[in-house]
Amino acid sequence: MTNIWFVSVAGGIGAASFGLLYHLKPKHLPYALICGFITTLIMMAGTETYEFGNLISNFAASFCGALLCIFLSRYKKAPFTVFMVPSLFPLVPGRALYYSMVGFMTHDKELFIDNIVASVEIAFGIAIGIMLANVFNVFYLKEKKKVEKKTKN
Amino acid sequence: MKEIKVDVDLMLRTALDIGQNLWVYGADVRRVEDAVSRICKSYGVAHIEVFCIASLLQVSVRMPDGTYLQEMRRLKASGNNMARLEELNDISRKICNKEITLDEAGSRIRRVKTIEPYRSLYYYVAAAFGAAAFCFFFGGTWHDSIAAVIAAVPITFFDRHVLLKADMMARIMLEALTGGIFVLLAVLCGIGENVDLISIGVLMLLTPGMVFGNAIQDFLNSDVLAGLSNLVKAIIVSVMIAIGIGASYILWGRIV
Protein backbone atom coordinates (compact mmCIF):
# COMPACT_ATOMS: atom_id res chain seq x y z
CA MET A 1 0.00 0.00 0.00
CA THR A 2 2.88 2.36 0.85
CA ASN A 3 4.24 1.73 -2.61
CA ILE A 4 1.02 3.07 -4.17
CA TRP A 5 1.36 6.31 -2.23
CA PHE A 6 4.97 6.77 -3.29
CA VAL A 7 4.13 6.01 -6.90
CA SER A 8 1.19 8.44 -6.75
CA VAL A 9 3.48 11.18 -5.45
CA ALA A 10 5.83 10.39 -8.35
CA GLY A 11 2.83 10.65 -10.71
CA GLY A 12 1.91 14.03 -9.22
CA ILE A 13 5.48 15.33 -9.57
CA GLY A 14 5.57 13.97 -13.12
CA ALA A 15 2.28 15.74 -13.94
CA ALA A 16 3.53 19.06 -12.55
CA SER A 17 6.85 18.67 -14.40
CA PHE A 18 5.03 18.05 -17.65
CA GLY A 19 2.78 20.99 -16.85
CA LEU A 20 5.88 23.16 -16.72
CA LEU A 21 7.24 21.61 -19.92
CA TYR A 22 3.90 22.43 -21.54
CA HIS A 23 4.25 26.04 -20.36
CA LEU A 24 1.44 25.83 -17.83
CA LYS A 25 1.23 29.08 -15.87
CA PRO A 26 2.98 28.91 -12.47
CA LYS A 27 -0.30 29.53 -10.60
CA HIS A 28 -1.77 26.33 -12.12
CA LEU A 29 1.17 24.03 -11.34
CA PRO A 30 -0.03 23.02 -7.85
CA TYR A 31 -3.38 21.97 -9.36
CA ALA A 32 -1.58 19.83 -11.95
CA LEU A 33 0.36 18.19 -9.12
CA ILE A 34 -2.78 17.45 -7.10
CA CYS A 35 -4.75 16.18 -10.11
CA GLY A 36 -1.80 14.06 -11.23
CA PHE A 37 -1.53 12.58 -7.73
CA ILE A 38 -5.26 11.77 -7.58
CA THR A 39 -5.47 10.23 -11.05
CA THR A 40 -2.38 8.11 -10.36
CA LEU A 41 -3.73 7.02 -6.99
CA ILE A 42 -7.04 5.92 -8.51
CA MET A 43 -5.32 4.14 -11.38
CA MET A 44 -2.84 2.39 -9.08
CA ALA A 45 -5.58 1.39 -6.64
CA GLY A 46 -7.55 -0.05 -9.56
CA THR A 47 -4.69 -2.01 -11.11
CA GLU A 48 -2.65 -3.00 -8.03
CA THR A 49 -5.03 -3.19 -5.07
CA TYR A 50 -8.35 -4.20 -6.62
CA GLU A 51 -6.95 -5.74 -9.82
CA PHE A 52 -9.68 -4.31 -12.05
CA GLY A 53 -7.46 -4.35 -15.12
CA ASN A 54 -6.25 -1.56 -17.39
CA LEU A 55 -9.55 -0.52 -18.97
CA ILE A 56 -11.61 -0.04 -15.79
CA SER A 57 -8.76 1.45 -13.74
CA ASN A 58 -7.82 3.99 -16.38
CA PHE A 59 -11.46 4.78 -17.06
CA ALA A 60 -12.08 5.50 -13.35
CA ALA A 61 -8.91 7.56 -13.05
CA SER A 62 -9.54 9.62 -16.18
CA PHE A 63 -13.22 10.13 -15.31
CA CYS A 64 -12.38 11.47 -11.83
CA GLY A 65 -9.40 13.44 -13.16
CA ALA A 66 -11.47 14.98 -15.95
CA LEU A 67 -14.29 15.93 -13.52
CA LEU A 68 -11.70 17.59 -11.30
CA CYS A 69 -10.25 19.41 -14.31
CA ILE A 70 -13.72 20.59 -15.39
CA PHE A 71 -14.30 21.97 -11.90
CA LEU A 72 -10.88 23.66 -11.94
CA SER A 73 -11.45 25.12 -15.39
CA ARG A 74 -14.68 26.75 -14.15
CA TYR A 75 -13.14 27.87 -10.86
CA LYS A 76 -9.97 29.31 -12.43
CA LYS A 77 -11.69 30.44 -15.67
CA ALA A 78 -9.17 28.66 -17.88
CA PRO A 79 -9.71 26.12 -20.68
CA PHE A 80 -10.28 22.50 -19.68
CA THR A 81 -7.32 21.36 -21.84
CA VAL A 82 -4.91 23.43 -19.72
CA PHE A 83 -5.58 21.25 -16.66
CA MET A 84 -6.43 18.01 -18.42
CA VAL A 85 -3.25 17.45 -20.47
CA PRO A 86 -0.75 17.50 -17.58
CA SER A 87 -3.15 15.95 -15.05
CA LEU A 88 -3.92 12.87 -17.13
CA PHE A 89 -0.34 12.51 -18.35
CA PRO A 90 0.53 9.82 -15.74
CA LEU A 91 -2.13 7.62 -17.36
CA VAL A 92 -0.37 7.66 -20.74
CA PRO A 93 0.60 4.04 -21.52
CA GLY A 94 4.36 4.73 -21.49
CA ARG A 95 5.42 1.25 -20.42
CA ALA A 96 3.10 -0.57 -22.85
CA LEU A 97 4.13 1.70 -25.75
CA TYR A 98 7.82 1.18 -24.92
CA TYR A 99 7.56 -2.60 -24.85
CA SER A 100 5.47 -2.63 -28.02
CA MET A 101 8.26 -0.59 -29.64
CA VAL A 102 10.82 -3.11 -28.34
CA GLY A 103 8.67 -5.93 -29.74
CA PHE A 104 8.48 -4.10 -33.07
CA MET A 105 12.26 -3.62 -33.21
CA THR A 106 13.14 -7.16 -32.14
CA HIS A 107 10.43 -8.82 -34.28
CA ASP A 108 8.92 -10.29 -31.09
CA LYS A 109 5.30 -10.51 -32.27
CA GLU A 110 3.93 -11.69 -28.92
CA LEU A 111 5.52 -8.82 -26.99
CA PHE A 112 4.37 -6.35 -29.64
CA ILE A 113 0.74 -7.54 -29.76
CA ASP A 114 0.36 -7.90 -25.97
CA ASN A 115 1.58 -4.37 -25.37
CA ILE A 116 -0.28 -2.79 -28.27
CA VAL A 117 -3.49 -4.34 -26.93
CA ALA A 118 -2.67 -2.97 -23.46
CA SER A 119 -1.98 0.50 -24.95
CA VAL A 120 -5.29 0.49 -26.82
CA GLU A 121 -7.11 -0.66 -23.67
CA ILE A 122 -5.58 2.17 -21.65
CA ALA A 123 -6.26 4.74 -24.38
CA PHE A 124 -9.91 3.59 -24.57
CA GLY A 125 -10.21 3.83 -20.79
CA ILE A 126 -8.84 7.40 -20.79
CA ALA A 127 -10.98 8.49 -23.75
CA ILE A 128 -14.25 7.06 -22.36
CA GLY A 129 -13.51 8.62 -18.96
CA ILE A 130 -13.00 12.08 -20.46
CA MET A 131 -16.09 11.70 -22.67
CA LEU A 132 -18.37 10.71 -19.80
CA ALA A 133 -17.04 13.54 -17.63
CA ASN A 134 -17.87 15.94 -20.46
CA VAL A 135 -21.39 14.46 -20.72
CA PHE A 136 -21.84 15.04 -16.97
CA ASN A 137 -20.65 18.59 -17.44
CA VAL A 138 -23.17 19.26 -20.22
CA PHE A 139 -26.02 17.87 -18.06
CA TYR A 140 -24.86 19.98 -15.13
CA LEU A 141 -24.79 23.14 -17.26
CA LYS A 142 -28.28 22.43 -18.65
CA GLU A 143 -29.68 21.93 -15.16
CA LYS A 144 -27.92 25.07 -13.95
CA LYS A 145 -29.47 27.10 -16.78
CA LYS A 146 -32.93 25.71 -15.94
CA VAL A 147 -32.52 26.66 -12.29
CA GLU A 148 -31.30 30.14 -13.23
CA LYS A 149 -34.32 30.63 -15.54
CA LYS A 150 -36.70 29.49 -12.79
CA THR A 151 -35.18 31.85 -10.22
CA LYS A 152 -35.40 34.75 -12.70
CA ASN A 153 -39.06 34.05 -13.36
CA MET B 1 -23.29 48.03 -46.68
CA LYS B 2 -19.53 48.39 -47.27
CA GLU B 3 -18.91 48.92 -43.55
CA ILE B 4 -20.71 45.68 -42.66
CA LYS B 5 -18.64 43.77 -45.21
CA VAL B 6 -15.39 45.04 -43.71
CA ASP B 7 -16.58 44.02 -40.24
CA VAL B 8 -17.46 40.53 -41.43
CA ASP B 9 -14.05 40.19 -42.99
CA LEU B 10 -12.29 41.35 -39.83
CA MET B 11 -14.48 39.11 -37.66
CA LEU B 12 -13.71 36.09 -39.80
CA ARG B 13 -9.99 36.86 -39.86
CA THR B 14 -9.87 37.27 -36.09
CA ALA B 15 -11.85 34.06 -35.54
CA LEU B 16 -9.52 32.19 -37.88
CA ASP B 17 -6.41 33.67 -36.21
CA ILE B 18 -7.68 32.45 -32.86
CA GLY B 19 -8.63 29.03 -34.22
CA GLN B 20 -5.31 28.59 -36.00
CA ASN B 21 -3.31 29.64 -32.94
CA LEU B 22 -5.40 27.46 -30.63
CA TRP B 23 -4.47 24.50 -32.82
CA VAL B 24 -0.78 25.45 -32.91
CA TYR B 25 -0.65 25.66 -29.10
CA GLY B 26 -2.31 22.32 -28.45
CA ALA B 27 -6.11 22.63 -28.53
CA ASP B 28 -8.05 19.75 -30.03
CA VAL B 29 -10.25 19.92 -33.12
CA ARG B 30 -13.51 20.34 -31.19
CA ARG B 31 -12.18 23.27 -29.17
CA VAL B 32 -10.93 25.02 -32.32
CA GLU B 33 -14.29 24.57 -34.06
CA ASP B 34 -16.15 25.67 -30.94
CA ALA B 35 -14.08 28.84 -30.45
CA VAL B 36 -14.40 29.93 -34.10
CA SER B 37 -18.10 29.20 -34.10
CA ARG B 38 -18.77 31.09 -30.86
CA ILE B 39 -16.89 34.20 -32.02
CA CYS B 40 -18.78 34.34 -35.31
CA LYS B 41 -22.14 33.68 -33.62
CA SER B 42 -21.51 36.52 -31.17
CA TYR B 43 -21.38 38.83 -34.20
CA GLY B 44 -24.81 37.66 -35.31
CA VAL B 45 -24.02 35.44 -38.27
CA ALA B 46 -27.09 33.85 -39.83
CA HIS B 47 -25.31 30.63 -40.70
CA ILE B 48 -21.86 29.23 -40.00
CA GLU B 49 -19.98 26.11 -40.97
CA VAL B 50 -16.61 25.32 -39.41
CA PHE B 51 -14.51 22.40 -40.55
CA CYS B 52 -11.24 21.54 -38.87
CA ILE B 53 -8.90 18.60 -39.34
CA ALA B 54 -5.22 18.20 -38.48
CA SER B 55 -4.07 20.23 -41.49
CA LEU B 56 -6.99 22.48 -42.40
CA LEU B 57 -9.34 25.00 -40.84
CA GLN B 58 -12.15 26.16 -43.09
CA VAL B 59 -14.95 28.54 -42.18
CA SER B 60 -17.88 29.88 -44.15
CA VAL B 61 -20.31 32.46 -42.78
CA ARG B 62 -23.50 34.05 -44.05
CA MET B 63 -24.63 37.29 -42.45
CA PRO B 64 -28.31 38.28 -42.08
CA ASP B 65 -27.86 40.83 -44.91
CA GLY B 66 -26.76 38.06 -47.27
CA THR B 67 -23.01 38.81 -47.13
CA TYR B 68 -21.21 35.53 -47.61
CA LEU B 69 -17.58 34.85 -46.84
CA GLN B 70 -15.41 31.78 -46.83
CA GLU B 71 -11.81 31.44 -45.77
CA MET B 72 -9.41 28.64 -45.00
CA ARG B 73 -6.13 28.27 -43.16
CA ARG B 74 -3.46 25.64 -43.54
CA LEU B 75 -2.70 24.19 -40.10
CA LYS B 76 0.87 23.20 -39.47
CA ALA B 77 2.54 21.18 -36.72
CA SER B 78 1.16 21.76 -33.25
CA GLY B 79 2.76 21.60 -29.82
CA ASN B 80 1.67 22.27 -26.28
CA ASN B 81 1.78 25.75 -24.84
CA MET B 82 -0.83 26.05 -22.13
CA ALA B 83 -0.05 29.68 -21.21
CA ARG B 84 -0.66 30.85 -24.77
CA LEU B 85 -3.71 28.61 -25.05
CA GLU B 86 -5.16 30.20 -21.93
CA GLU B 87 -4.49 33.69 -23.26
CA LEU B 88 -6.21 32.85 -26.56
CA ASN B 89 -9.16 31.44 -24.68
CA ASP B 90 -9.39 34.65 -22.68
CA ILE B 91 -9.30 36.75 -25.86
CA SER B 92 -11.99 34.56 -27.40
CA ARG B 93 -14.22 34.87 -24.33
CA LYS B 94 -13.79 38.64 -24.23
CA ILE B 95 -14.66 38.94 -27.93
CA CYS B 96 -17.84 36.93 -27.36
CA ASN B 97 -18.79 39.09 -24.36
CA LYS B 98 -17.98 42.24 -26.38
CA GLU B 99 -15.47 43.30 -23.71
CA ILE B 100 -12.85 44.02 -26.40
CA THR B 101 -13.08 45.15 -30.01
CA LEU B 102 -11.78 43.07 -32.90
CA ASP B 103 -8.87 45.49 -33.36
CA GLU B 104 -7.86 45.12 -29.71
CA ALA B 105 -8.21 41.36 -30.07
CA GLY B 106 -5.95 41.45 -33.12
CA SER B 107 -3.16 43.22 -31.28
CA ARG B 108 -3.52 40.83 -28.30
CA ILE B 109 -3.32 37.82 -30.64
CA ARG B 110 -0.10 39.20 -32.11
CA ARG B 111 1.35 39.53 -28.59
CA VAL B 112 0.48 35.91 -27.70
CA LYS B 113 3.65 34.68 -29.43
CA THR B 114 5.77 36.54 -26.89
CA ILE B 115 4.25 34.87 -23.82
CA GLU B 116 6.92 32.75 -22.15
CA PRO B 117 6.10 31.99 -18.50
CA TYR B 118 9.47 30.47 -17.56
CA ARG B 119 13.18 30.96 -18.16
CA SER B 120 15.04 28.29 -20.12
CA LEU B 121 16.62 26.74 -17.01
CA TYR B 122 13.19 25.79 -15.64
CA TYR B 123 12.52 23.52 -18.63
CA TYR B 124 15.69 21.56 -17.91
CA VAL B 125 14.68 21.17 -14.28
CA ALA B 126 11.15 20.11 -15.31
CA ALA B 127 12.46 17.57 -17.84
CA ALA B 128 14.84 16.15 -15.23
CA PHE B 129 12.11 15.91 -12.57
CA GLY B 130 9.59 14.53 -15.07
CA ALA B 131 11.92 11.80 -16.34
CA ALA B 132 13.03 10.87 -12.80
CA ALA B 133 9.44 10.82 -11.49
CA PHE B 134 8.18 8.65 -14.35
CA CYS B 135 11.17 6.31 -14.07
CA PHE B 136 10.23 5.76 -10.41
CA PHE B 137 6.54 5.60 -11.35
CA PHE B 138 7.19 2.71 -13.75
CA GLY B 139 9.11 0.73 -11.13
CA GLY B 140 12.66 2.08 -11.35
CA THR B 141 14.93 2.52 -8.34
CA TRP B 142 16.33 5.81 -7.04
CA HIS B 143 19.53 5.08 -8.97
CA ASP B 144 17.52 4.60 -12.15
CA SER B 145 15.83 7.95 -11.55
CA ILE B 146 19.21 9.66 -11.32
CA ALA B 147 20.23 7.99 -14.58
CA ALA B 148 16.96 9.27 -16.12
CA VAL B 149 17.90 12.81 -15.07
CA ILE B 150 21.26 12.42 -16.82
CA ALA B 151 19.57 11.34 -20.05
CA ALA B 152 16.76 13.93 -19.87
CA VAL B 153 19.07 16.96 -19.85
CA PRO B 154 20.70 16.37 -23.28
CA ILE B 155 17.26 15.59 -24.79
CA THR B 156 15.99 18.95 -23.56
CA PHE B 157 19.13 20.67 -24.82
CA PHE B 158 18.66 19.16 -28.29
CA ASP B 159 14.96 19.98 -28.23
CA ARG B 160 15.39 23.61 -27.20
CA HIS B 161 18.61 24.61 -28.93
CA VAL B 162 19.95 22.21 -31.56
CA LEU B 163 16.99 20.71 -33.42
CA LEU B 164 14.71 23.72 -33.35
CA LYS B 165 14.27 23.91 -37.11
CA ALA B 166 14.35 20.18 -37.79
CA ASP B 167 11.27 18.37 -39.04
CA MET B 168 9.17 17.14 -36.10
CA MET B 169 9.59 13.43 -36.83
CA ALA B 170 13.34 13.69 -37.46
CA ARG B 171 13.61 15.66 -34.25
CA ILE B 172 11.83 12.99 -32.21
CA MET B 173 13.99 10.24 -33.73
CA LEU B 174 17.24 12.10 -33.03
CA GLU B 175 16.15 12.92 -29.49
CA ALA B 176 15.25 9.28 -28.85
CA LEU B 177 18.66 8.29 -30.21
CA THR B 178 20.39 10.81 -27.91
CA GLY B 179 18.30 9.68 -24.94
CA GLY B 180 19.10 6.02 -25.63
CA ILE B 181 22.84 6.68 -25.82
CA PHE B 182 22.86 8.64 -22.56
CA VAL B 183 20.76 5.98 -20.80
CA LEU B 184 23.27 3.32 -21.84
CA LEU B 185 26.18 5.58 -20.83
CA ALA B 186 24.64 6.11 -17.39
CA VAL B 187 24.13 2.36 -16.92
CA LEU B 188 27.69 1.65 -18.09
CA CYS B 189 28.97 4.15 -15.50
CA GLY B 190 27.05 2.20 -12.86
CA ILE B 191 24.55 4.98 -12.09
CA GLY B 192 21.43 3.03 -13.06
CA GLU B 193 20.58 -0.63 -13.37
CA ASN B 194 17.41 -1.13 -15.41
CA VAL B 195 17.93 0.13 -18.96
CA ASP B 196 14.28 -0.43 -19.91
CA LEU B 197 12.78 1.43 -16.93
CA ILE B 198 15.17 4.37 -17.31
CA SER B 199 14.38 4.49 -21.03
CA ILE B 200 10.62 4.51 -20.36
CA GLY B 201 11.00 7.42 -17.92
CA VAL B 202 13.14 9.38 -20.37
CA LEU B 203 11.01 8.57 -23.41
CA MET B 204 7.91 9.93 -21.65
CA LEU B 205 9.40 13.30 -22.66
CA LEU B 206 8.84 12.33 -26.28
CA THR B 207 5.75 10.09 -26.22
CA PRO B 208 2.74 11.39 -28.14
CA GLY B 209 1.06 11.96 -24.78
CA MET B 210 -2.63 12.56 -25.06
CA VAL B 211 -2.66 12.23 -28.86
CA PHE B 212 -3.46 8.53 -28.62
CA GLY B 213 -6.30 9.16 -26.16
CA ASN B 214 -7.56 12.10 -28.23
CA ALA B 215 -7.66 9.88 -31.32
CA ILE B 216 -9.87 7.34 -29.55
CA GLN B 217 -12.03 10.19 -28.22
CA ASP B 218 -12.45 11.54 -31.77
CA PHE B 219 -13.47 8.08 -33.00
CA LEU B 220 -15.99 7.76 -30.18
CA ASN B 221 -17.38 11.17 -31.14
CA SER B 222 -17.80 9.90 -34.74
CA ASP B 223 -15.15 12.35 -35.95
CA VAL B 224 -13.36 9.70 -37.99
CA LEU B 225 -11.12 12.10 -39.95
CA ALA B 226 -9.72 13.84 -36.87
CA GLY B 227 -9.39 10.49 -35.09
CA LEU B 228 -7.53 8.93 -38.00
CA SER B 229 -5.09 11.81 -38.31
CA ASN B 230 -4.39 11.77 -34.55
CA LEU B 231 -3.97 8.00 -34.55
CA VAL B 232 -1.61 8.07 -37.51
CA LYS B 233 0.39 10.84 -35.86
CA ALA B 234 0.65 8.84 -32.61
CA ILE B 235 1.75 5.72 -34.50
CA ILE B 236 4.38 7.56 -36.56
CA VAL B 237 5.78 9.29 -33.45
CA SER B 238 5.96 5.90 -31.67
CA VAL B 239 7.73 4.33 -34.65
CA MET B 240 10.21 7.26 -34.76
CA ILE B 241 10.95 6.77 -31.06
CA ALA B 242 11.38 3.04 -31.67
CA ILE B 243 13.80 3.69 -34.53
CA GLY B 244 15.76 6.24 -32.46
CA ILE B 245 16.05 4.10 -29.35
CA GLY B 246 16.66 0.95 -31.42
CA ALA B 247 19.44 2.71 -33.35
CA SER B 248 21.08 3.77 -30.10
CA TYR B 249 21.10 0.15 -28.86
CA ILE B 250 22.48 -1.12 -32.17
CA LEU B 251 25.13 1.61 -32.20
CA TRP B 252 26.03 0.81 -28.62
CA GLY B 253 26.31 -2.89 -29.44
CA ARG B 254 28.79 -2.09 -32.23
CA ILE B 255 30.92 0.24 -30.10
CA VAL B 256 31.08 -1.67 -26.80
Side-chain angles (χ1 to χ4, degrees):
Chain A
M1 196 66 190
T2 321
N3 186 27
I4 286 179
W5 292 100
F6 274 128
V7 171
S8 302
V9 170
I13 294 171
S17 303
F18 273 84
L20 203 152
L21 280 176
Y22 291 160
H23 312 266
L24 190 67
K25 283 183 180 173
K27 62 178 178 179
H28 297 324
L29 282 179
Y31 299 112
L33 194 143
I34 294 164
C35 291
F37 171 79
I38 292 170
T39 50
T40 313
L41 189 65
I42 296 169
M43 188 265 284
M44 289 300 292
T47 50
E48 302 290 321
T49 314
Y50 298 105
E51 294 177 356
F52 282 138
N54 281 333
L55 185 72
I56 304 288
S57 308
N58 282 282
F59 160 71
S62 79
F63 177 71
C64 297
L67 275 184
L68 203 58
C69 292
I70 288 168
F71 167 74
L72 280 173
S73 69
R74 306 222 162 273
Y75 175 60
K76 302 301 287 180
K77 289 195 171 135
F80 169 59
T81 320
V82 166
F83 295 106
M84 186 202 72
V85 174
S87 304
L88 300 190
F89 204 87
L91 304 181
V92 168
R95 189 204 301 261
L97 276 175
Y98 175 81
Y99 285 118
S100 58
M101 283 184 245
V102 171
F104 173 74
M105 292 299 289
T106 55
H107 303 288
D108 186 338
K109 276 184 190 167
E110 203 179 329
L111 185 70
F112 176 71
I113 291 170
D114 283 353
N115 284 287
I116 275 290
V117 169
S119 304
V120 172
E121 242 184 351
I122 294 170
F124 259 98
I126 297 172
I128 296 171
I130 297 170
M131 251 182 52
L132 280 189
N134 277 324
V135 170
F136 257 69
N137 184 39
V138 171
F139 272 117
Y140 166 75
L141 288 177
K142 271 187 183 172
E143 288 303 313
K144 199 179 160 192
K145 268 188 185 174
K146 272 183 193 172
V147 173
E148 277 174 1
K149 266 187 184 176
K150 271 183 187 175
T151 46
K152 268 185 186 176
N153 292 333
Chain B
M1 184 71 185
K2 197 182 173 187
E3 202 179 296
I4 292 168
K5 200 173 181 183
V6 171
D7 277 345
V8 176
D9 186 47
L10 183 61
M11 172 205 73
L12 191 58
R13 229 176 326 130
T14 311
L16 277 162
D17 282 344
I18 286 183
Q20 189 178 21
N21 282 305
L22 278 172
W23 172 260
V24 169
Y25 298 130
D28 57 34
V29 165
R30 282 179 305 279
R31 176 158 284 279
V32 172
E33 288 182 344
D34 186 53
V36 173
S37 177
R38 274 173 195 264
I39 290 170
C40 293
K41 278 178 184 165
S42 73
Y43 276 82
V45 296
H47 185 75
I48 177 164
E49 292 292 344
V50 188
F51 176 69
C52 181
I53 50 170
S55 56
L56 177 83
L57 171 61
Q58 193 164 14
V59 184
S60 63
V61 289
R62 188 182 296 280
M63 297 303 281
D65 65 355
T67 317
Y68 178 79
L69 262 182
Q70 188 176 39
E71 208 173 306
M72 60 153 278
R73 293 280 170 92
R74 172 80 168 86
L75 299 178
K76 299 215 169 133
S78 65
N80 278 306
N81 193 321
M82 299 301 150
R84 293 179 188 175
L85 199 72
E86 198 178 335
E87 174 68 6
L88 285 164
N89 187 67
D90 187 54
I91 298 169
S92 161
R93 187 165 42 211
K94 282 185 172 153
I95 294 173
C96 294
N97 294 339
K98 299 284 185 300
E99 289 173 33
I100 54 172
T101 63
L102 289 173
D103 287 324
E104 284 167 345
S107 61
R108 273 187 72 176
I109 293 167
R110 281 188 290 278
R111 283 202 301 273
V112 164
K113 276 184 189 166
T114 60
I115 294 173
E116 199 64 62
Y118 302 101
R119 282 188 291 149
S120 193
L121 179 70
Y122 284 87
Y123 297 104
Y124 285 95
V125 176
F129 266 95
F134 279 113
C135 179
F136 186 74
F137 176 86
F138 287 115
T141 60
W142 291 107
H143 292 104
D144 294 338
S145 292
I146 295 167
V149 170
I150 291 168
V153 173
I155 288 186
T156 315
F157 176 73
F158 270 74
D159 191 56
R160 295 189 63 79
H161 303 291
V162 183
L163 300 169
L164 271 177
K165 292 194 175 163
D167 178 69
M168 187 197 163
M169 295 304 167
R171 193 168 156 172
I172 286 171
M173 192 185 75
L174 290 171
E175 284 170 11
L177 175 73
T178 314
I181 289 172
F182 275 89
V183 167
L184 292 166
L185 262 176
V187 172
L188 188 79
C189 294
I191 299 167
E193 295 145 17
N194 306 301
V195 176
D196 51 348
L197 298 176
I198 305 167
S199 301
I200 297 170
V202 172
L203 294 179
M204 283 298 275
L205 297 171
L206 307 173
T207 43
M210 295 305 290
V211 181
F212 205 30
N214 281 346
I216 306 286
Q217 225 184 321
D218 288 329
F219 280 123
L220 294 176
N221 283 326
S222 309
D223 198 344
V224 180
L225 260 181
L228 260 181
S229 57
N230 270 332
L231 188 65
V232 170
K233 187 182 172 187
I235 290 171
I236 292 175
V237 170
S238 302
V239 170
M240 286 295 142
I241 294 173
I243 292 171
I245 200 93
S248 73
Y249 291 172
I250 292 166
L251 206 67
W252 189 259
R254 290 278 163 90
I255 296 167
V256 180

